[in-house]
Amino acid sequence: MNKIKAAIVGSTGYAGQELTRLLYNHNNVEIKYLTSKSYTGEKYADIYQNFNSISDIECIGDDLDEIAKDVDVIFLALPHGIASKKINETILENTKIIDLGADFRLKDKNIYESWYKTEHFSPSLLNEAVYGLCEIHREEIKKARLIANPGCYTTCSILSLYPLFKENLIDENSVIIDAKSGVTGAGRSVGLGTHYCEVNESIKAYKIASHRHTPEIEQELSHAIGKNITLQFTPHLTPMNRGILATCYAKLKEGINEKTIHDAYKETSKNETFIRLVKQGIYPETKWVKGTNFVDIGLFVDSRTNNIIVTGAIDNLIKGAAGQAVQNMNLLFGINESEGLLNAGMFPA
Amino acid sequence: MNKIKAAIVGSTGYAGQELTRLLYNHNNVEIKYLTSKSYTGEKYADIYQNFNSISDIECIGDDLDEIAKDVDVIFLALPHGIASKKINETILENTKIIDLGADFRLKDKNIYESWYKTEHFSPSLLNEAVYGLCEIHREEIKKARLIANPGCYTTCSILSLYPLFKENLIDENSVIIDAKSGVTGAGRSVGLGTHYCEVNESIKAYKIASHRHTPEIEQELSHAIGKNITLQFTPHLTPMNRGILATCYAKLKEGINEKTIHDAYKETSKNETFIRLVKQGIYPETKWVKGTNFVDIGLFVDSRTNNIIVTGAIDNLIKGAAGQAVQNMNLLFGINESEGLLNAGMFPA
Amino acid sequence: MNKIKAAIVGSTGYAGQELTRLLYNHNNVEIKYLTSKSYTGEKYADIYQNFNSISDIECIGDDLDEIAKDVDVIFLALPHGIASKKINETILENTKIIDLGADFRLKDKNIYESWYKTEHFSPSLLNEAVYGLCEIHREEIKKARLIANPGCYTTCSILSLYPLFKENLIDENSVIIDAKSGVTGAGRSVGLGTHYCEVNESIKAYKIASHRHTPEIEQELSHAIGKNITLQFTPHLTPMNRGILATCYAKLKEGINEKTIHDAYKETSKNETFIRLVKQGIYPETKWVKGTNFVDIGLFVDSRTNNIIVTGAIDNLIKGAAGQAVQNMNLLFGINESEGLLNAGMFPA
Amino acid sequence: MNKIKAAIVGSTGYAGQELTRLLYNHNNVEIKYLTSKSYTGEKYADIYQNFNSISDIECIGDDLDEIAKDVDVIFLALPHGIASKKINETILENTKIIDLGADFRLKDKNIYESWYKTEHFSPSLLNEAVYGLCEIHREEIKKARLIANPGCYTTCSILSLYPLFKENLIDENSVIIDAKSGVTGAGRSVGLGTHYCEVNESIKAYKIASHRHTPEIEQELSHAIGKNITLQFTPHLTPMNRGILATCYAKLKEGINEKTIHDAYKETSKNETFIRLVKQGIYPETKWVKGTNFVDIGLFVDSRTNNIIVTGAIDNLIKGAAGQAVQNMNLLFGINESEGLLNAGMFPA
């Protein structure tokens, strides 16, 4: 088979860089272009020295129309509001698009505009775009032209809660997701909020009741249960580079017991390479998924409170961004879904 | 005034050591004895070199009966199950006891024995012991002989939620406390679970639905609202030395709005030196309370979900242990409640 | 005694903030003014929330001429090149100046200009300024109007090596100082080099053979031995908030043995409150001096190589900046040199 | 080609585990046995959960004689003093041995016994064993039966200094190596010295003038220059999981200039896949080699002191242990030397 020719647009952010690394390790891919607004003309390995002796590519600017003619797939790793301006029908006729940003994730233009406080510039594509959570939308992904790769918190939250909604096991409006993320989630742009001494040795909640991944989680879980649900999502900034842990709470429906719960999760994940249900009594830890595309899920039922507590752990830059994008690409091009993604995580890392 | 003569029993754990430090800085205290089972006969400053040039004390063993004759107050910083064996009427006639451990916190012997899986050896003292959360039991503390200093998670959780229960503003059985602690909370005993490379750069939940601070929180909040309540408490191990952040969720009662909430917290804390309500829009961070006896509290109402979200931050070794013990001592001996405790935290620390 | 009225100019950098904290804890000081270019008009406690409930001061701009009329001492915590423009004779007639910056540390204008690549604007004051390393220039400090508070690396390096030069025990041109600093040493200004994810979990040397603390160390050690010396100084950025460890190497002079070395250090430090020689076999660690004004020094002689290895540890923001400034102030105003500075460090912090 | 059948003896330490991970990713290897004294009978993925869904192997005990009959290569990752007891002629006739421990690294039994304070049990094998630093002993390695894989500090130090000795560019007895290691270097055994709160946020030197990697470095550099040399080696414990940075100092020989130095390094490394000379003005950082088999080397000449300063960075568990072991295996079995080892490091990790 010919190699898939790929371009990464916005390759010098953390997600773009992680994707670049994964694609260099992928047997079926040839990276044709790395683009960067800030570093046009510079050698990629001078920006990210981990690529010394690995990559000789120089970053170019991002003329999507031209790039689209030359490659089989374009990955977009851009701030929100830009992709919806850049993508058009001609591009989609020339190449596949996997967008790691937020612009095509929400089906409802109004919800997008109300949470993102910005206009959406290609609402006509919202319906066509497929939400790229492979474990849920696998079949549509295979046939898509435009894939909206899910957010990091979103991926972890949805995969942790999906069987509860799908199988109707909980009070659907009782859900609370208390999520903790490493600092790479905030990207590479500098600011006091990510200054070493301000982040190190401290933890905080932020964007309570207002984080933009909330409607994305609600959209997918509403879809799973077949009615509109609302939930509480709270992100936290944790003093570590990588990883998301989502601690999810829900009130069990009358008559639902531990066995029903476990059965539902086993059934849902039985053919899923990247979902690992941890043994009973074991707590997922972000260290065990670091560097991998796995999500580790632990289930706990509290008979005193009748709550189910689910904890899910992912690597925010892999299953929460670049790894999932590769998984989507694998599906799109009909190769093994786990190609380039199946490895034991590096530990301690 | 003569100085208060104090002994610290179990002075070589992290809480005992922090207490030793605070008492060395306290104008009204003379440390008479530091005891240690593991380091009897060794110079304290050889165990904790931060005490070089500060302390010449040698650790002794812990013959409480003898020590009690010589000092005005004994602080106990021992694993659970030991204090309840050691304390007796004669000791209490000779000296005041402030117990940083768990043995006298729960009023109900059965609840203690069921959560701690051990016998309680002085149940007759459970009624006399005063739960030493100063902001709530100030008047009883002043007259006590035996004070049960609250747990770290407990202090943070109760202070964060107290006005909601006291003023009956929430569905009292809807509470979820998702708490994150630094690693000093696990103490100084070595084990794989606190090995540097196993903890660093990772986060996990642990003891879900089974952490022993749960009944303590329930006891005090039940007392506040006047009926028995049950809640969900989940602790997390966070890669940092110090600090607890409790993110607390509750369903608002019909008709309760943001103003009612804020008023209740303002009223409750208006004379409280150590409660700081942060400005609206600001998120408490553990770094701002590190090294202090403060609890920082932030209030957030989500009109979409009708939840109140309260985040509280403390230094687990100070307001969560040693600082609160000093605050209790200050009350006991009729000196200024904030003596030795009022300082800006060191930052960045 | 009346309290010393103090102003801190540049109070919102890390060193200025640490100084503010120390002065709030100082029994003999009243803080009159906190100045800040970036935060003029803002409440100090809104910038550094550790000061909530402690300080109500609002930052003002830095009109030194006016401030000088109102206070007994002005502390300057400014980037280099500014103080030498701002200080003048009138100011010095009105108040004492303790400059935490670099402008008045080097006696030789040419050396200053060659290392700092900028003009010096008040060379006439270079002679008057006293180099504020209290352990070495105590008597001159007491009589000074203008004190040049030493750099952080400098303080640690000089105190670690001083007796070797003073007593002529080493080949004076063989010295290598390999120093490791926490990230607060780089200040609070944001940049990719101090972005959390770029610093965390990594170590590097930087400014090899070109760091500006080099001539400062050379000046003072040359003075100690009575001839001009040259040495190698290499700083490293270490993934931690605070602390400097200087590992210093020198070739022993013929006939110098371990006892001579130890005697020299004991003699030099015998009346020094803030120098702690650690026991033989113990290695200084930055954690034991964190939060204190101490320098911990360890001595090691290698008979195989005939090298002496000295390791010195300080808290870069305290003995390396704000604490030393307070120590200088104490000397200047004739109060106990260790007032406000003598405490066991907080641990683990 | 048939896959190389491999056994890892001592697979549950950090080095053994990293080797297991690398071999799972290696196209030419089949892992036959993982042994563990502490975890015999347990599933490897239960000990290291990063191996869930990757490995089903159960740990066995370490009967080397039996294992040797079944595999092409045995990797030993054991504490020193054990391998020299276990290896014998029969084993070496049956299989290749790559020993990650210290027992066969030093050619001189007396030096071994004096630094390691233990008897050497197979001195007759010292001559046969090949020191497995591939860049230096490549040809002998290809023909060896028993390879002594170098230490972590050693690898970094030797590769950083080798051209200076080989080309006789420095005063050979002036060398000082100031090395900084992450905490994985101390292994997975628990102890107060690796307890999270004792290591985090602090740095220290340790084993000054007495670290066992010293004679190993001296042996190889003596060999390079053709006479016996002595040097100063100082290790430091740095608060991070992985990485070694060696900052090396030497006095330049008369007449040696910067160009000579750079030429020597370029010549030495021109065919070396894993040596990366960083651009001038760039400082090696451990983060750029983390997760890789590279050593990054930076060269700095100080004309003021006439010193050459070389900084070298490696991942201590890869180029300093498991990666180098794989590189040795590749040489031994005639496959591409970089097979399974050539990848961009994960960043930020």
Side-chain angles (χ1 to χ4, degrees), chain A residues 2-182:
Chain A
N2 283 338
K3 293 211 170 188
I4 301 161
K5 281 176 283 186
I8 302 171
V9 170
S11 66
T12 54
Y14 285 145
Q17 184 258 160
E18 183 68 356
L19 181 56
T20 305
R21 183 179 75 86
L22 293 177
L23 293 182
Y24 264 108
N25 285 337
H26 195 292
N27 289 321
N28 307 85
V29 174
E30 176 197 2
I31 298 179
K32 286 278 287 187
Y33 303 112
L34 297 174
T35 90
S36 171
K37 218 173 150 171
S38 328
Y39 298 100
T40 307
E42 292 190 41
K43 233 184 103 182
Y44 198 71
D46 286 344
I47 306 160
Y48 284 107
Q49 296 177 51
N50 46 331
F51 284 89
N52 268 323
S53 300
I54 302 292
S55 169
D56 281 320
I57 295 182
E58 264 180 33
C59 294
I60 59 166
D62 54 359
D63 182 339
L64 278 205
D65 300 290
E66 285 306 308
I67 291 172
K69 297 176 192 162
D70 256 19
V71 299
D72 302 307
V73 60
I74 296 175
F75 295 91
L76 303 177
L78 299 166
H80 73 264
I82 299 180
S84 76
K85 263 192 203 145
K86 285 186 180 267
I87 298 303
N88 55 48
E89 185 56 32
T90 319
I91 289 173
L92 289 171
E93 282 167 13
N94 283 324
T95 193
K96 302 279 191 181
I97 299 288
I98 298 174
D99 180 16
L100 282 75
D103 283 10
F104 299 102
R105 292 178 192 157
L106 297 171
K107 291 300 169 198
D108 185 325
K109 176 176 177 291
N110 295 325
I111 293 180
Y112 176 88
E113 294 184 345
S114 114
W115 285 82
Y116 284 87
K117 319 285 182 208
T118 186
E119 196 186 333
H120 197 288
F121 296 95
S122 33
S124 64
L125 291 173
L126 289 180
N127 249 330
E128 171 172 359
V130 173
Y131 191 75
L133 194 40
C134 309
E135 285 75 10
I136 297 181
H137 298 288
R138 186 170 283 121
E139 295 312 314
E140 302 145 80
I141 291 166
K142 292 179 182 171
K143 298 169 290 190
R145 296 194 303 175
L146 169 56
I147 291 175
N149 207 58
C152 51
Y153 282 125
T154 325
T155 297
C156 193
S157 302
I158 297 172
L159 293 179
S160 296
L161 289 165
Y162 188 71
L164 299 178
F165 281 86
K166 187 73 183 168
E167 304 302 325
N168 209 356
L169 307 174
I170 55 168
D171 170 354
E172 69 268 13
N173 286 311
S174 69
V175 171
I176 287 167
I177 303 168
D178 190 285
K180 298 89 180 165
S181 173

Side-chain angles (χ1 to χ4, degrees), chain A residues 178 180 198 201-203 205 207-208 218 232 234 236 241 247 249 283 286-287 302 304-305 307 309, chain B residues 178 180 198 201-203 205 207-208 218 232 234 236 241 247 249 283 286-287 302 304-305 307:
Chain A
D178 190 285
K180 298 89 180 165
E198 303 287 322
E201 293 291 303
S202 191
I203 190 166
K207 292 193 187 159
I208 292 181
E218 289 177 347
Q232 196 68 50
T234 309
H236 294 75
N241 282 340
T247 312
Y249 303 87
Y283 295 98
T286 59
K287 69 182 180 187
D302 187 348
R304 294 173 69 250
T305 58
N307 285 328
I309 302 106
Chain B
D178 189 284
K180 298 90 181 165
E198 302 288 321
E201 294 292 302
S202 191
I203 189 166
K207 292 192 188 159
I208 292 181
E218 289 177 346
Q232 194 69 51
T234 309
H236 294 76
N241 282 338
T247 311
Y249 303 86
Y283 296 96
T286 59
K287 68 182 181 185
D302 187 348
R304 295 173 69 250
T305 57
N307 285 329

